[in-house]
């Protein structure tokens, strides 16, 4: 990394299943990284690292040239940003890795701008395995110069990193991606039920499809489930994202309707 990590003090907020390995990659890359979590237990996996442990969000802001946020909801992002941003230095950067409404990102970018802070919406795709391997896909929205400054940090955990336009553009693409996955899961569920109706052995059908032109990532995901209800947590997050896309496009939009209708069979089975 040509010692560029020594030039950056970083912070990270949100040590869940996706945020935790992202933070670990940043630490292992040599960035001086301060972590914040609601529970001290979340710090335990990092006790043997160079990580710093904040007692407040203000500590993270004062320490950091770059802060990553990976919390769950729009309200979580607002709560964190409203405390964090006033404590950050002018010229610092904030990357929102959460999947939220694009307008929330734009609101937080406006708040950050009053302090001279650059904000990038930077949702990710690939889950924990890709985060651990440093091969996450990053979908970026923001000022090109701000993105360029943050790129060394992003490269510590990202593989494919794409700049898509202004703040909010990353969220647009992430919502489309997740909604397509949920719709594809619905189509897979329809095919499996069709096979049941025809008396086809389900395990044999799945094995065949996984080696045929009908293969998809959604089929791979579904093949690992005993039934859709085992994906209740992941399904709930995808439904949240489908609803957000509907809000962005408008519930009467044809794209939103098609994706919603295609998803329904899997969504119904997962509830």
């Amino acid at each position: 990394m040509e010692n560029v990590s020594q030039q950056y003090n970083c912070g990270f907020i949100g040590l869940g299943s996706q945020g935790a390995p992202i933070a670990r990659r940043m630490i292992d890359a040599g960035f001086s990284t301060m972590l914040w979590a609601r529970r001290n237990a979340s710090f335990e996996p990092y006790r043997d690292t160079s990580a710093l442990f904040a007692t407040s969000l203000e500590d993270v802001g004062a320490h950091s040239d770059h802060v990553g946020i990976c919390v769950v909801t729009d309200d979580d992002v607002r709560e964190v940003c409203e405390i964090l941003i006033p404590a950050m230095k002018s010229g610092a950067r904030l990357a929102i890795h959460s999947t939220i409404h694009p307008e929330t990102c734009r609101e937080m970018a406006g708040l950050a701008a009053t302090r001279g802070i650059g904000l990038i919406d930077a949702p990710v795709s690939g889950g924990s395995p890709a985060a651990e391997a440093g091969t996450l896909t990053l979908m970026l929205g923001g000022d090109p110069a701000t993105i360029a400054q943050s790129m060394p940090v992003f490269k510590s955990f990202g593989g494919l990193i794409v700049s898509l336009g202004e703040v909010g553009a990353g969220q647009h693409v992430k919502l489309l991606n997740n909604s397509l996955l949920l719709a594809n899961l619905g189509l897979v569920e329809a095919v499996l039920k069709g096979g049941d109706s025809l008396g086809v052995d389900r395990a044999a059908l799945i094995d065949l499809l996984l080696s045929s032109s009908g293969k998809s990532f959604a089929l791979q995901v579904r093949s690992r489930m005993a039934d859709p209800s085992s994906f209740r947590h992941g399904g709930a997050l995808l439904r949240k994202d489908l609803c957000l896309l509907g809000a962005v496009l408008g519930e009467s939009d044809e794209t939103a309707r098609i994706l919603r209708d295609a998803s329904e069979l899997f969504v119904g089975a997962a509830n």
Side-chain angles (χ1 to χ4, degrees):
M1 207 166 252
E2 301 179 352
N3 294 323
V4 70
S5 60
Q6 296 178 10
Q7 303 171 24
Y8 290 81
N9 288 333
C10 293
F12 203 87
I13 297 160
L15 302 176
S17 61
Q18 186 130 264
I22 292 175
R24 185 73 187 222
R25 294 285 306 189
M26 291 166 59
I27 295 162
D28 291 346
F31 294 102
S32 175
T33 305
M34 180 175 285
L35 308 177
W36 183 87
R38 295 184 188 279
R39 298 180 300 111
N40 284 335
S42 299
F43 296 143
E44 290 307 314
Y46 307 93
R47 296 291 182 189
D48 63 343
T49 74
S50 62
L52 305 171
F53 307 117
T55 58
S56 70
L57 290 169
E58 290 90 345
D59 288 345
V60 178
H63 168 82
S64 304
D65 304 303
H66 174 106
V67 180
I69 297 176
C70 195
V71 295
V72 178
T73 69
D74 290 61
D75 286 344
D76 292 334
V77 170
R78 288 191 185 95
E79 181 182 354
V80 167
C81 286
E82 287 170 2
I83 299 172
L84 178 70
I85 288 173
M88 294 178 71
K89 298 168 283 191
S90 177
R93 298 167 304 282
L94 185 58
I96 298 179
H97 301 300
S98 310
T99 302
I100 56 175
H101 197 295
E103 187 57 34
T104 302
C105 286
R106 288 189 281 266
E107 289 173 12
M108 295 303 100
L111 178 62
T114 65
R115 301 279 301 180
I117 296 161
L119 185 143
I120 305 163
D121 71 304
V124 299
S125 182
S128 298
E132 291 167 3
T135 59
L136 282 169
T137 297
L138 275 74
M139 310 165 201
L140 306 182
D143 172 67
T146 303
I147 289 173
Q149 287 179 303
S150 293
M151 195 61 73
V153 181
F154 293 149
K155 286 181 177 178
S156 71
F157 56 85
L160 178 63
I161 305 172
V162 182
S163 182
L164 296 157
E166 297 179 353
V167 171
Q171 298 296 339
H172 285 158
V173 174
K174 180 63 186 295
L175 295 177
L176 289 166
N177 176 80
N178 285 12
S179 297
L180 180 59
L181 172 58
L182 187 57
N184 284 340
L185 284 167
L187 295 175
V188 169
E189 200 65 25
V191 167
L192 296 181
K193 289 186 179 298
D196 292 343
S197 297
L198 294 170
V200 178
D201 179 81
R202 178 171 283 205
L205 175 60
I206 290 174
D207 285 344
L208 186 145
L209 291 173
L210 286 171
S211 298
S212 301
S213 57
K215 179 180 179 180
S216 68
F217 179 72
L219 177 61
Q220 292 174 308
V221 171
R222 179 63 182 86
S223 71
R224 296 192 292 267
M225 300 178 203
D227 59 73
S229 65
S230 65
F231 194 63
R232 187 170 286 116
H233 176 68
L237 292 176
L238 290 176
R239 288 195 297 277
K240 176 202 72 147
D241 297 344
L242 180 60
C243 289
L244 283 173
L245 181 64
V248 171
L249 291 173
E251 293 297 336
S252 61
D253 180 84
E254 184 179 16
T255 297
R257 179 188 59 77
I258 290 171
L259 292 168
R260 187 168 56 245
D261 290 348
S263 304
E264 188 54 40
L265 190 59
F266 180 82
V267 169
N271 286 338

